[in-house]
């Protein structure tokens, strides 16, 4: 995929950084190298307290976000549980689903049915596609679309369920969005501004269990399996998305000096391991500079 632009022709990621802070020069260099190699890149980083952007590049452009697109689904599930329209212990049978056999954890478990609240945990922690599909089937696309609209995210959409194969009649992507909208969503979550404090706290609690700390989060040094109570007081929640040639992560990182909200999308030609690793390295470079910014 080619790097994005507003009006035709490629362009480099804009250099914008807050005065008196680190300029994210290594991240900019890594993202520009990806863009020059043909990748499409979008990034948005903002100070959590002031909401002032400290790094932006094509953050208005709608791009594939893979499993990161399930966050509005988790919000709708949490809102339904709080409102009493969804029973957290309602049992969903796996046999009622068109199973995804290529990934996920639930497909390996002996339990053929699970309560909605456990499916939400599986979706948030390991991005389990069958758990996501079960929740989506229970809630419905119409409610998700309405919820995304109410969140003020016109360029974000959860288009389809997870599938082993995408045919010509299926949506080409699970979800799309922009880094600007994703960063704002995560900022709203930690500031208890998504619907209300109860829903925000529940979704943040689920996301805080996320096991995928291999991209931006690799630089935090957190234990992927037990980081909800960090001994050093690091505030961190994140969600990643992965698909062929797509890597995306959004989250919040808080340290003793500052807090930041971030989102990064890289779409690249996944032609070899080196192409993939180069994309991963850009996420980890951002992670290092986010840690330096917050500490």
């Amino acid at each position: 995929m080619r790097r994005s632009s507003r009006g035709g022709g490629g362009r480099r990621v804009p250099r914008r950084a807050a005065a008196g802070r680190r300029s994210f020069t290594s991240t900019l260099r890594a993202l520009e190298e990806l863009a020059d190699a043909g990748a499409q890149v979008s990034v948005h980083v903002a100070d959590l307290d002031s909401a002032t952007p400290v790094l932006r590049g094509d953050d208005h452009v709608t791009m594939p976000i893979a499993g990161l697109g399930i966050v509005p689904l988790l919000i709708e599930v949490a809102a339904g549980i709080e409102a009493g329209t969804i029973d957290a212990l309602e049992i969903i049978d796996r046999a009622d689903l068109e199973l995804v056999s290529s990934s996920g954890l639930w497909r390996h478990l002996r339990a053929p049915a699970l309560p909605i609240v456990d499916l939400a945990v599986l979706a948030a922690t390991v991005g389990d596609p069958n758990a996501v599909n079960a929740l989506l089937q229970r809630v419905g696309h119409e409610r998700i679309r309405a919820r995304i609209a109410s969140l003020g995210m016109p360029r974000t959409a959860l288009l389809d369920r997870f599938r082993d194969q995408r045919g010509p009649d299926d949506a080409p992507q699970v979800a799309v969005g922009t880094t600007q909208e994703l960063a704002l969503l995560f900022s709203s979550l930690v500031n208890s501004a998504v619907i209300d404090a109860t829903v925000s706290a529940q979704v943040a609690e689920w996301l805080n269990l996320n096991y995928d700390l291999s991209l931006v989060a690799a630089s935090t040094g957190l234990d992927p399996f037990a980081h909800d109570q960090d001994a050093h007081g690091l505030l961190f929640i994140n969600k990643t998305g992965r698909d062929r040639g797509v890597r995306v992560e959004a989250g919040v990182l808080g340290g003793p000096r500052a807090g930041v909200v971030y989102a990064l999308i890289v779409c690249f030609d996944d032609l070899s391991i080196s192409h993939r690793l180069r994309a991963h390295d850009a996420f980890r470079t951002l992670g290092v500079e986010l840690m330096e910014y917050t500490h």
Side-chain angles (χ1 to χ4, degrees):
M1 298 184 183
R2 309 305 297 177
R3 61 182 180 267
S4 56
S5 65
R6 284 185 185 269
R11 65 183 178 86
R12 292 180 180 273
V13 178
R15 293 182 178 272
R16 304 180 188 175
R21 296 290 192 183
R22 288 188 57 87
S23 60
F24 292 91
T25 53
S26 295
T27 300
L28 284 164
R29 188 180 307 112
L31 296 181
E32 287 177 345
E33 288 174 358
L34 285 174
D36 287 340
Q40 187 179 12
V41 174
S42 175
V43 62
H44 185 102
V45 180
D47 188 275
L48 191 59
D49 294 326
S50 67
T52 302
V54 296
L55 176 64
R56 301 177 67 180
D58 282 354
D59 58 356
H60 66 288
V61 178
T62 300
M63 294 170 59
I65 58 174
L68 184 50
I70 74 164
V71 176
L73 171 61
L74 294 175
I75 291 169
E76 184 59 29
V77 170
I81 291 172
E82 185 194 20
T85 59
I86 294 177
D87 181 357
L89 298 180
E90 177 185 340
I91 301 298
I92 303 294
D93 197 318
R94 190 169 54 196
D96 295 333
L97 306 173
E98 185 175 340
L99 291 179
V100 175
S101 61
S102 57
S103 64
L105 182 61
W106 192 16
R107 67 193 175 107
H108 296 295
L109 302 181
R110 294 298 181 91
L114 290 171
I116 283 178
V117 69
D118 286 352
L119 294 175
V121 170
L122 278 177
T125 55
V126 296
D128 189 282
N130 291 308
V132 170
N133 289 349
L135 293 174
L136 186 56
Q137 182 172 287
R138 171 63 177 81
V139 173
H141 279 282
E142 287 299 324
R143 285 174 61 180
I144 301 303
R145 279 192 286 268
R147 180 60 64 192
I148 290 173
S150 73
L151 293 170
M153 303 174 68
R155 297 178 182 270
T156 298
L158 181 57
L159 301 173
D160 195 15
R161 62 179 175 84
F162 286 98
R163 302 173 183 271
D164 280 327
Q165 298 291 333
R166 296 202 164 273
D169 296 328
D170 301 323
Q173 305 289 341
V174 172
V176 295
T178 71
T179 53
Q180 184 178 36
E181 291 183 356
L182 292 169
L184 180 60
L185 178 61
F186 273 76
S187 176
S188 297
L189 279 172
V190 298
N191 286 311
S192 302
V194 173
I195 303 180
D196 59 29
T198 301
V199 171
S200 296
Q202 178 60 86
V203 177
E205 180 181 317
W206 285 335
L207 293 174
N208 195 35
L209 302 174
N210 181 30
Y211 284 1
D212 188 2
L213 305 187
S214 62
L215 297 176
V216 172
S219 301
T220 64
L222 291 168
D223 182 346
F225 308 110
H227 57 83
D228 52 331
Q229 296 292 334
D230 178 53
H232 301 293
L234 194 68
L235 167 67
F236 184 73
I237 66 168
N238 80 317
K239 185 72 182 77
T240 58
R242 297 169 181 265
D243 203 349
R244 177 69 184 270
V246 177
R247 295 294 185 272
V248 53
E249 181 170 339
V252 171
L253 176 64
R257 191 173 75 168
V260 288
V261 59
Y262 68 91
L264 174 60
I265 304 171
V266 177
C267 297
F268 60 100
D269 292 324
D270 193 7
L271 301 177
S272 68
I273 292 294
S274 63
H275 286 76
R276 187 182 305 165
L277 293 179
R278 185 167 53 190
H280 288 197
D281 284 344
F283 282 86
R284 291 165 184 158
T285 299
L286 173 61
V288 169
E289 295 196 316
L290 288 176
M291 287 292 286
E292 292 172 343
Y293 185 97
T294 58
H295 287 70

